[in-house]
Amino acid sequence: MFMITHLFETSVRRKSLTCFNTKKRTKNNNVKQLGKSEINTIDYSVIPWNRLIHWEGRANNVPTILSVLEHGARHDRRMALVTLSGFVEQKGGVIIATPILLSYLLNNLDRFSDNQDLVLRLLLKVAKAVGLQWEVFLDSKEFEGLSFSASIWEEGSPYLWPKEMSAVEEASLWNSIDPMLYFDHAWYYTLEVLESFRLSILSIDARDGIEQGMIYELETILNMVASQNRNIVAIDNFSFEYEDVLLSPIDQIYLDDIHTNLTKDVSKFLSFDLIDNVAFTKEYIRASVVENKRGAALVLVVKDRHTQMFLGGCGIQDVNVHTAEIGFWLKKEVQGKGYGRQVVGALLKLIKECVDTKEIIYTVEQGNEVSVYLAEKLGFSKGKDFILEPTVFKNKLRYMSQYRLTLK
């Protein structure tokens, strides 16, 4: 989901055999799992907000916002949440006040239950920012020794601003701000807080399909950014046979096959509106190759293993130790000939043999009867239905059904 634009209607995961390198890469392995009791001891009333910064400037207006959240009428609390949303994230970035305010929200989820929709939107906004920058910090060593704690706002903290400054001095300080301290470290602390409250977030009881859709997106992101080891697929000479199908890594050599066969009819249940431009297909292939090398996905093409005829595409997306999603598409002329069952069967076998994960997710758009049939036939259990809101890639509400298969 959050890694690349899917050309698939669902997703899957993976383990380790000869199809994977034996060397493991550590992702965010230095993230400390904070105890919730530790975060619960924070006294937000004594934090020197006037010496911290959020995206709108000095955070000296935060106490007023928190007071409204705790004592205001529902409408006023909604407006306060909207204001808070602008403080904690802008343009895909977080800032030093973000993890502190995030911990406040997550510590008080029950208090904001009547505005749960806005809380979920704020959480998803922050999670998406963390997910976006996660790719930049995959192997970074700059966070060693850091941990979210009161030391961020206690006297002597490098994140605190002087108590009083002239307007000229303050403008100068903004212009010379240290991005590592105020943005990079903020990203790491925000990731820590999200990890610590992961189960609480995923346990939120959705009140409608839209909220359930946001929880689904949050689960995908939180599972991906969780501290974990991943084996990277040895792409060179990789192939996987199952019955009559052959799976091979996506490559620019399949550009014409993909562009020609990914028609409007074929793509109607996929997560994007078809753009009939070869440059779009070329960029999709390029991004998929990057994800394959990174270990976040395994994007493949499907061929008939006897004739080598191109059949379509499939993949294991959002690969992590908790979950992985599967999906596929077939060109129109081979649909209804049994290849769909074989492709899903191949993906399941590939995951069980080569992917270290606990659960396979297969998410299908309601009305896609073939995928629903395959999920039920292959032993998946029906999960939650939800609604995905329009995106820049898919300009419509998508009514989805989720199926899950537990591996261990």
Side-chain angles (χ1 to χ4, degrees):
M1 277 234 10
F2 83 99
M3 300 304 299
I4 55 176
T5 305
H6 291 289
L7 281 182
F8 312 111
E9 48 197 6
T10 62
S11 15
V12 122
R13 330 166 154 174
R14 44 182 218 152
K15 252 177 180 177
S16 82
L17 239 181
T18 55
C19 49
F20 290 88
N21 290 333
T22 56
K23 181 180 178 181
K24 291 187 176 181
R25 176 181 294 180
T26 301
K27 309 294 190 184
N28 303 321
N29 217 31
N30 56 336
V31 175
K32 179 185 176 185
Q33 286 290 65
L34 297 175
K36 288 180 65 178
S37 59
E38 183 178 351
I39 298 181
N40 284 338
T41 64
I42 297 174
D43 184 351
Y44 297 94
S45 68
V46 301
I47 293 176
W49 294 106
N50 64 318
R51 299 186 62 191
L52 293 165
I53 58 171
H54 53 51
W55 281 110
E56 300 295 336
R58 278 192 189 252
N60 49 16
N61 51 2
V62 165
T64 300
I65 297 297
L66 299 189
S67 178
V68 173
L69 287 174
E70 293 176 11
H71 308 294
R74 181 173 182 269
H75 174 74
D76 294 332
R77 285 185 280 119
R78 287 187 73 80
M79 295 307 299
L81 284 168
V82 171
T83 302
L84 199 65
S85 181
F87 290 171
V88 298
E89 185 277 343
Q90 287 191 17
K91 297 181 179 179
V94 295
I95 197 166
I96 197 60
T98 301
I100 308 172
L101 290 169
L102 184 66
S103 71
Y104 171 83
L105 276 178
L106 291 169
N107 268 323
N108 293 278
L109 281 175
D110 291 342
R111 178 178 291 176
F112 308 129
S113 59
D114 57 345
N115 286 310
Q116 181 170 284
D117 58 328
L118 287 186
V119 172
L120 283 170
R121 289 191 185 282
L122 189 153
L123 292 177
L124 184 55
K125 185 182 182 186
V126 171
K128 285 182 176 179
V130 168
L132 179 66
Q133 296 179 67
W134 173 78
E135 300 183 31
V136 177
F137 296 125
L138 281 179
D139 300 305
S140 176
K141 302 297 183 183
E142 74 176 82
F143 307 114
E144 291 181 357
L146 295 181
S147 182
F148 179 79
S149 69
S151 63
I152 296 172
W153 56 84
E154 289 176 341
E155 194 62 42
S157 166
Y159 310 110
L160 292 181
W161 280 27
K163 294 179 180 179
E164 296 182 7
M165 303 176 71
S166 69
V168 173
E169 290 173 325
E170 186 138 335
S172 176
L173 188 53
W174 270 105
N175 290 333
S176 61
I177 197 169
D178 184 342
M180 179 181 288
L181 278 178
Y182 292 98
F183 305 126
D184 292 5
H185 289 189
W187 173 87
Y188 181 77
Y189 294 139
T190 303
L191 174 60
E192 277 193 306
V193 173
L194 285 172
E195 281 216 58
S196 296
F197 283 89
R198 174 180 170 273
L199 293 179
S200 295
I201 294 170
L202 300 184
S203 297
I204 294 175
D205 187 16
R207 299 177 181 179
D208 56 42
I210 294 290
E211 287 190 3
Q212 192 63 56
M214 288 190 280
I215 293 171
Y216 162 71
E217 292 186 84
L218 279 164
E219 179 184 17
T220 302
I221 297 172
L222 296 180
N223 287 352
M224 284 298 293
V225 301
S227 180
Q228 60 194 279
N229 290 328
R230 288 185 174 85
N231 290 335
I232 309 303
V233 180
I235 293 298
D236 295 339
N237 302 315
F238 171 82
S239 65
F240 195 86
E241 294 183 355
Y242 181 84
E243 295 185 12
D244 298 321
V245 298
L246 171 66
L247 309 184
S248 301
I250 195 168
D251 189 272
Q252 293 293 349
I253 62 174
Y254 300 108
L255 176 62
D256 289 340
D257 286 321
I258 294 172
H259 183 70
T260 300
N261 292 291
L262 195 56
T263 62
K264 188 173 182 179
D265 286 342
V266 168
S267 67
K268 67 180 179 180
F269 290 124
L270 302 185
S271 60
F272 64 94
D273 293 321
L274 183 64
I275 299 175
D276 190 14
N277 186 320
V278 71
F280 173 82
T281 309
K282 191 172 185 178
E283 171 57 21
Y284 165 72
I285 296 173
R286 185 204 65 79
S288 298
V289 170
V290 170
E291 295 309 308
N292 283 353
K293 291 179 179 179
R294 184 177 288 151
L298 183 53
V299 188
L300 308 163
V301 296
V302 184
K303 295 182 287 186
D304 185 295
R305 77 179 184 91
H306 306 292
T307 67
Q308 300 299 302
M309 177 178 65
F310 178 86
L311 302 176
C314 69
I316 306 172
Q317 294 283 358
D318 301 324
V319 177
N320 60 80
V321 296
H322 297 290
T323 57
E325 293 202 35
I326 59 171
F328 74 98
W329 62 272
L330 295 172
K331 64 182 185 180
K332 190 171 183 178
E333 55 266 39
V334 300
Q335 293 179 9
K337 297 185 177 180
Y339 285 117
R341 178 194 61 77
Q342 293 185 48
V343 171
V344 175
L347 290 174
L348 296 186
K349 188 173 188 293
L350 177 56
I351 291 169
K352 291 173 181 178
E353 293 180 355
C354 300
V355 180
D356 183 14
T357 193
K358 297 175 183 175
E359 193 174 26
I360 302 173
I361 296 177
Y362 188 24
T363 305
V364 304
E365 192 159 340
Q366 293 173 17
N368 188 349
E369 296 177 1
V370 171
S371 290
V372 171
Y373 170 77
L374 287 175
E376 293 174 347
K377 183 178 179 62
L378 293 170
F380 285 79
S381 298
K382 179 73 185 314
K384 301 285 184 67
D385 291 335
F386 57 88
I387 301 171
L388 294 178
E389 296 179 293
T391 68
V392 294
F393 301 110
K394 194 77 170 183
N395 188 28
K396 72 168 189 175
L397 288 172
R398 301 182 68 208
Y399 295 82
M400 313 298 293
S401 293
Q402 190 173 91
Y403 294 84
R404 292 178 177 252
L405 182 64
T406 300
L407 298 180
K408 57 183 178 180

